[in-house]
Amino acid sequence: MTISDIERQKALIELNLLDTASEKMFDDITELASKICKTPVALITVLDIHKQLFKSRFGISITEAPIEQAFCKLAIEKPDEIFIVEDARKDVRFIENPLVYENPKIVSYYGVPLESKSGVALGTLCVIDYEVKILTEEQKEMLVILSKHVEYLIELRAKTKLVNEYQVKIEQYSKDMEDFAYMAVHDLKAPVRAIDSFTKLIDKKYHSTWDEKDEKYIGFILQSTGKMNDLINNLLEYSKSTNAVGNFEKFDLNELVTELFNSLTCTIQEKPKLICTNLPTLFSSKIAFTVLFTNFLSNAIKYKKDTE
């Protein structure tokens, strides 16, 4: 086994070309190659370590052959040329090959090497005849063009498979995030409800003794728990959506930032100054901007310089 054999085996596994079912996009090309070259057989072959596999076949029933008998094993040694055997019965390289003196009794063979995007030889697009066949230059040119389409389809097929795998992972990730959001909402709502309930009980019990400032503070607590409950519900709805546009709405960013600032500074005696002008009206996720500016404002308030 050579280094090139190992590289080819690795490339075939990565491209998912070993022991796979027939595919119409490849079968159409072998049928077209057969008709253009006027040969009874056309194949798309790939070379495993021990055998050649027919990824697509037209005009022949067998699906593989031992690597020792493979014409395309020699064909891939010169990737820039068409490998031509006009009469295998007279060619010393194939005269004792069972594929020549036994069924299917190959006589003429024309094979165009197929390469991966990285330049690894994979196999061939070939046409076969059971009698001497001389292809015209135009037929050989068309065979080369078809081989490039095979290479393109191989790469496109691999990319599509990769995209599909990522899509499955994304869907699973979205499901996991939604499950996590449900649990998080349940865990977050419990303490918020407790704060709201106990605050109302305290207010009911001691309301007659509250002064104006106490009532203001109680109002801030109840207002904050209400907003926190709305925020938790919005986060759940946001996590459930697989399409962010479904969560978009029109809102004034000036109003949102001002509202958040007032909520975050309601208990601060020396309230900092908010300079907020000319912010736009957006059509976007309001919940996402609420989380974003809550973090911005919280950090700004926390780390503001003390004034003398």
Side-chain angles (χ1 to χ4, degrees):
M1 186 185 303
T2 65
I3 294 176
S4 60
D5 291 333
I6 296 172
E7 290 178 343
R8 180 170 60 254
Q9 186 74 3
K10 181 180 177 182
L12 292 173
I13 292 172
E14 290 176 349
L15 294 168
N16 192 34
L17 289 171
L18 295 176
D19 297 312
T20 55
S22 64
E23 297 175 63
K24 189 176 187 303
M25 61 182 179
F26 293 120
D27 293 343
D28 287 345
I29 290 180
T30 50
E31 182 177 359
L32 188 58
S34 173
K35 291 180 178 178
I36 289 173
C37 296
K38 299 186 185 328
T39 59
V41 177
L43 303 168
I44 294 174
T45 71
V46 293
L47 286 172
D48 194 355
I49 294 174
H50 304 294
K51 57 190 175 182
Q52 66 170 344
L53 301 168
F54 303 155
K55 176 57 189 167
S56 177
R57 54 193 170 87
F58 181 83
I60 195 169
S61 59
I62 60 174
T63 58
E64 60 182 59
I67 192 70
E68 297 80 13
Q69 301 173 13
F71 282 55
C72 61
K73 183 172 174 58
L74 294 178
I76 64 173
E77 292 179 358
K78 295 182 179 180
D80 298 326
E81 299 178 13
I82 299 180
F83 185 69
I84 300 174
V85 180
E86 291 185 357
D87 192 340
R89 299 166 299 182
K90 298 178 182 179
D91 193 312
V92 293
R93 296 170 295 179
F94 304 105
I95 197 169
E96 296 183 358
N97 191 316
L99 296 177
V100 175
Y101 64 83
E102 295 177 0
N103 285 331
K105 295 186 177 181
I106 297 172
V107 175
S108 289
Y109 171 95
Y110 292 79
V112 183
L114 301 172
E115 289 187 327
S116 69
K117 192 174 182 180
S118 58
V120 176
L122 303 173
T124 66
L125 168 65
C126 62
V127 292
I128 294 170
D129 209 321
Y130 303 133
E131 58 186 35
V132 175
K133 182 73 177 184
I134 308 297
L135 295 187
T136 65
E137 290 302 314
E138 184 178 15
Q139 287 172 322
K140 287 187 281 189
E141 182 181 344
M142 293 302 295
L143 197 60
V144 171
I145 291 173
L146 288 176
S147 73
K148 298 304 177 186
H149 282 283
V150 174
E151 291 176 345
Y152 170 76
L153 287 174
I154 288 173
E155 291 296 331
L156 181 62
R157 177 177 173 274
K159 290 177 180 177
T160 301
K161 179 176 180 291
L162 189 62
V163 169
N164 290 338
E165 288 174 352
Y166 275 122
Q167 181 63 33
V168 170
K169 290 180 180 179
I170 289 170
E171 289 174 359
Q172 183 60 49
Y173 175 77
S174 297
K175 183 180 182 302
D176 291 343
M177 286 300 295
E178 186 174 340
D179 292 342
F180 172 78
Y182 274 110
M183 290 187 293
V185 164
H186 179 269
D187 292 341
L188 288 170
K189 275 190 171 184
V192 172
R193 282 197 300 265
I195 293 170
D196 184 76
S197 297
F198 281 111
T199 301
K200 288 177 180 177
L201 286 174
I202 293 171
D203 183 42
K204 183 177 181 181
K205 184 175 182 179
Y206 299 103
H207 184 78
S208 60
T209 64
W210 293 149
D211 59 21
E212 186 177 339
K213 185 178 291 186
D214 294 331
E215 289 184 3
K216 182 179 179 182
Y217 290 160
I218 290 294
F220 282 143
I221 294 173
L222 294 176
Q223 183 182 22
S224 296
T225 55
K227 288 182 178 179
M228 178 59 74
N229 191 62
D230 290 340
L231 183 62
I232 291 170
N233 289 330
N234 288 337
L235 282 171
L236 177 60
E237 291 302 315
Y238 185 74
S239 69
K240 287 166 61 178
S241 175
T242 57
N243 181 4
V245 176
N247 292 299
F248 283 10
E249 60 183 291
K250 188 176 181 180
F251 61 94
D252 188 317
L253 193 54
N254 278 300
E255 293 180 2
L256 176 63
V257 172
T258 302
E259 182 182 349
L260 292 172
F261 177 77
N262 290 334
S263 177
L264 291 168
T265 59
C266 63
T267 59
I268 300 177
Q269 291 184 349
E270 296 184 6
K271 189 172 181 178
K273 183 179 180 182
L274 173 67
I275 301 175
C276 177
T277 57
N278 300 324
L279 293 178
T281 296
L282 301 178
F283 181 75
S284 185
S285 169
K286 187 175 182 179
I287 183 62
F289 274 89
T290 299
V291 173
L292 179 67
F293 277 95
T294 297
N295 287 330
F296 284 161
L297 292 169
S298 296
N299 288 330
I301 294 166
K302 181 178 179 180
Y303 297 107
K304 71 179 180 67
K305 290 183 179 180
D306 294 330
T307 57
E308 296 182 357

